[in-house]
């Protein structure tokens, strides 16, 4: 046969496939209603396996694997169709619906905010960018921030969640999961590091340089020139600046912000010493209660995947792709104390009010061993 003749025959087969697919999806809609009534999860791996074994019985060995791929795609699109067809239920879904009953709230102008560090810390700068009037109280560590929000001493907490060069702050993710708090807002803050010193300090006389370990990491190349200086990590950059100021010494320096230098009366010896000009840190605003403020178009979740299940990540990603959801972050890290098990962090852009999005979150809540909804929120740039 000529090529055009073959293609005409393929078109006839494709038309048949299209009609049968539409017929199948109508039946899938009925399945989704039945599952919703019985409380069964959308995902049914045993059923899928039985289908694959049955349909592959009467097809040549050279086509079995390809047929499997076709049906796996059909399964994923079918589950996506189920997700948008009916309303699903889960513990997380119920909390989201209850919070949405209040409507999208207007973001407050003034608030009591907990931050880690001391005056001048980047978290305090982030708080001032989030609120017109931020009443900030500083705490020694991240646990202190969570404790202040837990006890109601502060309504909100501001914490770093990721840096463009150093990656995610895993301790904050762990504490979010432990305390079951929510992200209600975030801000992306450009981080411009400076070498700050006491008056009359010369660069060649510097013997010690203080800063937070991440700031030191972000200025690694710059610091290589200080061959004879000791690099000392501090809990935060603001404390580093204060330490230098209180020492009164002419042979010490700190890597910190311009605000810290002004606050503690230090001199900017060299500015913008970070290795990358595109250096920023995302700070999240956490709260004890789940609330949605106007402009909440970003969602963050944490979840595990089934162990020893080939293609489980690909299948999870397909759920987002089939709903047209844009993932902006996908990161994984090993779970401490487990064997080859990972926690996955996802950020994606969508509207929490959309039924399909709520159904997807319900499905993930019901079908994964560990699932944490971190919040839906807007981000200030």
């Amino acid at each position: 046969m000529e090529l055009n003749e073959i293609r005409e025959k393929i078109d006839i087969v494709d038309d048949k496939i299209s009609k049968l697919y539409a017929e199948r999806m109508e039946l899938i809609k009925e399945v989704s209603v039945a599952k919703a009534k019985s409380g069964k999860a959308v995902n049914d791996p045993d059923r899928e396996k039985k289908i694959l074994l049955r349909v592959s019985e009467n097809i040549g060995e050279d086509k079995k694997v390809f047929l499997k791929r076709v049906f796996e795609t059909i399964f994923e699109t079918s589950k996506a169709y189920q997700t948008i067809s009916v309303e699903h239920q889960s513990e997380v879904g119920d909390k989201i619906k209850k919070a949405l009953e209040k409507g999208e709230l207007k973001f407050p102008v003034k608030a009591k905010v907990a931050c880690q560090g001391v005056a001048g810390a980047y978290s305090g700068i982030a708080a001032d960018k989030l609120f017109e009037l931020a009443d900030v109280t500083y705490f020694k560590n991240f646990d202190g921030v969570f404790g202040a929000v837990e006890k109601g001493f502060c309504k909100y907490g501001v914490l770093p969640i990721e840096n463009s060069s150093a990656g995610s702050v895993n301790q904050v993710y762990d504490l979010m999961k432990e305390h079951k708090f929510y992200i209600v807002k975030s801000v992306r803050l450009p981080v411009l590091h400076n070498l700050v010193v006491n008056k009359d300090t010369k660069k060649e006389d510097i013997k010690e340089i203080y800063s937070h370990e991440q700031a030191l990491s972000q200025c690694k190349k710059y610091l290589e020139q200080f061959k004879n200086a000791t690099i000392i990590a501090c809990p935060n950059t603001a404390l580093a600046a204060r330490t230098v100021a209180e020492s009164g010494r002419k042979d010490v320096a700190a890597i910190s912000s311009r605000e810290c230098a002004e606050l503690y009366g230090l001199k900017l010896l060299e500015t913008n010493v970070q290795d990358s000009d595109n250096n920023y840190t995302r700070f999240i605003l956490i709260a004890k209660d789940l609330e949605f403020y106007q402009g909440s178009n970003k969602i963050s979740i944490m979840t595990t995947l089934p162990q020893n299940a080939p293609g489980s990540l690909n299948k999870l990603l397909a759920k987002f792709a089939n709903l047209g959801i844009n993932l902006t972050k996908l990161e994984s890290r090993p779970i401490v104390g487990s064997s080859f098990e990972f926690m996955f962090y996802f950020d994606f852009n969508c509207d929490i009010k959309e039924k399909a999005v709520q159904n997807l979150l319900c499905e993930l809540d019901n079908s994964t061993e560990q699932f944490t909804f971190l919040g839906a929120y807007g981000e200030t740039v």
Side-chain angles (χ1 to χ4, degrees):
M1 289 187 291
E2 295 292 331
L3 179 60
N4 287 339
E5 194 176 352
I6 298 171
R7 285 176 172 170
E8 286 175 3
K9 291 183 178 293
I10 290 175
D11 288 343
I12 293 170
V13 173
D14 286 344
D15 290 341
K16 291 178 180 178
I17 291 173
S18 177
K19 289 178 181 178
L20 289 171
Y21 180 75
E23 184 179 337
R24 190 183 196 280
M25 293 299 268
E26 285 301 313
L27 293 169
I28 286 297
K29 187 184 292 186
E30 294 181 28
V31 167
S32 64
V33 174
K35 282 184 177 180
K37 288 180 179 178
S38 63
K40 286 187 177 181
V42 170
N43 193 35
D44 190 346
D46 290 337
R47 166 68 175 161
E48 292 176 9
K49 187 172 184 180
K50 289 176 182 176
I51 293 173
L52 289 173
L53 290 172
R54 189 188 74 249
V55 299
S56 62
E57 282 181 359
N58 299 315
I59 193 169
E61 284 294 322
D62 61 329
K63 301 181 184 69
K64 288 185 188 294
V65 172
F66 296 101
L67 182 69
K68 180 186 176 185
R69 299 286 180 264
V70 169
F71 269 86
E72 284 176 339
T73 301
I74 290 174
F75 294 153
E76 292 308 317
T77 55
S78 296
K79 285 182 281 192
Y81 193 56
Q82 289 183 62
T83 297
I84 65 173
S85 297
V86 296
E87 185 173 330
H88 296 270
Q89 303 290 330
S90 80
E91 183 180 348
V92 165
D94 292 342
K95 289 180 180 179
I96 291 171
K97 290 180 180 70
K98 189 174 180 180
L100 283 171
E101 288 174 0
K102 303 175 186 175
E104 286 188 301
L105 308 175
K106 188 176 180 181
F107 193 71
V109 173
K110 179 181 178 181
K112 292 194 70 174
V113 185
C115 294
Q116 184 266 341
V118 297
Y122 282 110
S123 58
I125 298 171
D128 287 333
K129 193 167 183 179
L130 284 163
F131 296 96
E132 293 288 338
L133 296 166
D135 182 5
V136 176
T137 302
Y138 289 97
F139 294 86
K140 187 177 180 180
N141 49 40
F142 295 151
D143 291 274
V145 174
F146 278 87
V149 177
E150 183 78 63
K151 295 171 184 175
F153 180 74
C154 293
K155 169 72 173 176
Y156 303 101
V158 172
L159 296 153
I161 196 69
E162 70 172 329
N163 178 265
S164 55
S165 57
S168 295
V169 185
N170 291 320
Q171 186 186 355
V172 173
Y173 275 109
D174 291 341
L175 287 167
M176 287 292 292
K177 182 182 175 186
E178 178 186 335
H179 288 267
K180 295 182 172 59
F181 285 178
Y182 300 98
I183 304 172
V184 295
K185 194 85 170 175
S186 70
V187 60
R188 184 174 298 201
L189 193 70
V191 177
L192 305 176
H193 294 306
N194 307 278
L195 186 71
V196 301
V197 297
N198 285 306
K199 187 179 178 182
D200 299 328
T201 297
K202 296 179 181 178
K203 187 176 178 180
E204 59 268 23
D205 295 333
I206 295 174
K207 296 178 181 178
E208 296 175 0
I209 300 176
Y210 296 83
S211 197
H212 185 268
E213 59 184 358
Q214 279 205 352
L216 295 173
S217 173
Q218 293 159 20
C219 304
K220 186 177 180 180
K221 290 182 181 177
Y222 171 79
L223 292 172
E224 287 176 355
Q225 64 183 291
F226 295 92
K227 305 293 184 183
N228 300 317
T230 302
I231 309 300
I232 302 171
C234 287
N236 56 74
T237 55
L239 183 60
R242 192 174 76 179
T243 299
V244 169
E246 291 177 348
S247 74
R249 292 166 55 186
K250 304 295 188 291
D251 61 348
V252 295
I255 300 289
S256 71
S257 66
R258 182 181 295 270
E259 288 83 356
C260 281
E262 294 174 356
L263 182 63
Y264 295 111
L266 298 173
K267 180 176 72 173
L268 296 171
L269 192 60
E270 290 190 342
T271 61
N272 296 345
V273 299
Q274 66 278 354
D275 295 336
S276 172
D277 290 334
N278 186 32
N279 187 32
Y280 68 85
T281 296
R282 277 185 65 220
F283 289 85
I284 55 173
L285 185 71
I286 62 168
K288 192 174 181 179
D289 300 322
L290 178 58
E291 295 176 333
F292 301 122
Y293 291 104
Q294 294 171 357
S296 297
N297 57 3
K298 180 189 283 285
I299 293 177
S300 294
I301 61 172
M302 298 166 57
T303 188
T304 55
L305 295 177
Q307 285 185 283
N308 304 317
S312 57
L313 178 58
N314 186 52
K315 289 177 182 177
L316 178 59
L317 294 176
K319 295 181 189 296
F320 292 94
N322 289 327
L323 293 174
I325 294 174
N326 179 37
L327 287 173
T328 57
K329 176 178 180 177
L330 168 56
E331 192 172 322
S332 67
R333 74 178 178 101
I335 297 175
V336 178
S338 66
S339 299
F340 305 106
E341 189 175 5
F342 291 81
M343 181 67 73
F344 290 83
Y345 310 143
F346 290 88
D347 288 349
F348 49 97
N349 293 332
C350 57
D351 189 346
I352 191 64
K353 298 191 297 298
E354 289 185 15
K355 193 64 64 181
V357 173
Q358 294 175 33
N359 284 345
L360 173 62
L361 295 172
C362 288
E363 182 186 345
L364 295 175
D365 189 25
N366 290 328
S367 62
T368 56
E369 187 175 337
Q370 296 184 52
F371 176 78
T372 302
F373 174 71
L374 294 172
Y377 53 96
E379 181 166 289
T380 301
V381 179

